[in-house]
Amino acid sequence: MDESLQALLAELEQFGQENDAAITDRPRRMLNITRDTGEFLAVLIQATNAQRVLEIGTSNGYSTLWLAQAAQKVGGHVTTIEQSEFKLELAAKNFERSGLSDAITQLRGEAGGLLDSMLDANADLIFLDSKRSEYERWWPTIKRVLKKGGLLVVDNATSHADEMVPFMALVSGDAHVSACTVPVGNGQFLATLWG
């Protein structure tokens, strides 16, 4: 990773921490992933040669930059979904500064509706870091959009375990899925479709 991107990521980490410490209004908080989660995602993308990456929950683009720099190395692209206009604008500026804009497509809107419009088997890797109360409802569509052998990674598996348990049980109970939880960052729930 080049020095300018390293510096931008460090700046965004500090901004996210300071912003979230000062602001209690959830829509204005960044709620970024941890650095080790970013590193983990980057390794997963490169190890699986995930060229079509879908992120649900852009925020200010911190996680997207981790995904995009890894996807770019394997000739891939990231599509990221965000509903908040405020966060979309912050992310767009960060993408421009990063030099990774060509590797990122931003979609604005409600994730469930946007997922419904996507083609079958259209993503190699999906990173889910959004409104946890919607995950169970989105699961059939996520399963349709994710290619066989593709990987779903969901943040906050341990930090918000009470909210995540129903979704994790639903996915783990699917006969065509192998799943596990990895203690990286706030906990990552991983699931792959094999059947």
Side-chain angles (χ1 to χ4, degrees):
M1 186 184 303
D2 69 40
E3 288 182 17
S4 61
L5 182 55
Q6 287 272 24
L8 176 58
L9 287 168
E11 177 190 320
L12 293 178
E13 286 166 22
Q14 184 174 350
F15 166 74
Q17 290 164 3
E18 290 173 359
N19 180 80
D20 291 2
I23 293 176
T24 55
D25 183 29
R26 185 175 173 83
R28 303 296 270 189
R29 298 182 81 206
M30 299 300 108
L31 303 169
N32 288 327
I33 62 170
T34 60
R35 173 172 276 271
D36 59 342
T37 300
E39 294 167 344
F40 181 66
L41 290 168
V43 168
L44 289 176
I45 286 170
Q46 291 172 260
T48 61
N49 196 36
Q51 298 187 9
R52 299 168 303 165
V53 177
L54 174 62
E55 176 183 46
I56 303 171
T58 312
S59 188
N60 64 339
Y62 175 76
S63 54
T64 320
L65 293 176
W66 281 104
L67 298 169
Q69 60 88 23
Q72 191 177 57
K73 289 177 183 171
V74 297
H77 191 87
V78 176
T79 299
T80 185
I81 296 173
E82 177 60 57
Q83 193 163 12
S84 163
E85 191 65 44
F86 164 67
K87 290 181 179 177
L88 278 164
E89 289 175 15
L90 278 178
K93 290 174 186 167
N94 292 328
F95 299 159
E96 195 60 42
R97 290 178 61 200
S98 73
L100 291 168
S101 291
D102 290 347
I104 301 167
T105 298
Q106 286 184 277
L107 298 180
R108 179 181 189 269
E110 190 274 320
L114 290 169
L115 279 166
D116 285 342
S117 70
M118 292 183 178
L119 298 173
D120 291 0
N122 195 38
D124 301 317
L125 184 144
I126 297 176
F127 179 56
L128 184 55
D129 187 16
S130 184
K131 191 173 181 182
R132 290 178 289 278
S133 60
E134 298 293 319
Y135 291 0
E136 288 176 83
R137 185 172 67 83
W138 293 344
W139 170 239
T141 312
I142 287 171
K143 187 177 172 184
R144 179 184 62 77
V145 171
L146 188 63
K147 75 167 191 179
K148 296 292 183 273
L151 184 62
L152 171 67
V153 184
V154 190
D155 196 30
N156 304 118
T158 54
S159 65
H160 293 76
D162 54 334
E163 295 174 47
M164 288 286 292
V165 162
F167 175 71
M168 290 164 50
L170 173 68
V171 175
S172 298
D174 190 306
H176 301 287
V177 172
S178 295
C180 69
T181 301
V182 180
V184 174
N186 293 315
Q188 307 306 308
F189 177 66
L190 276 65
T192 187
L193 299 177
W194 56 266

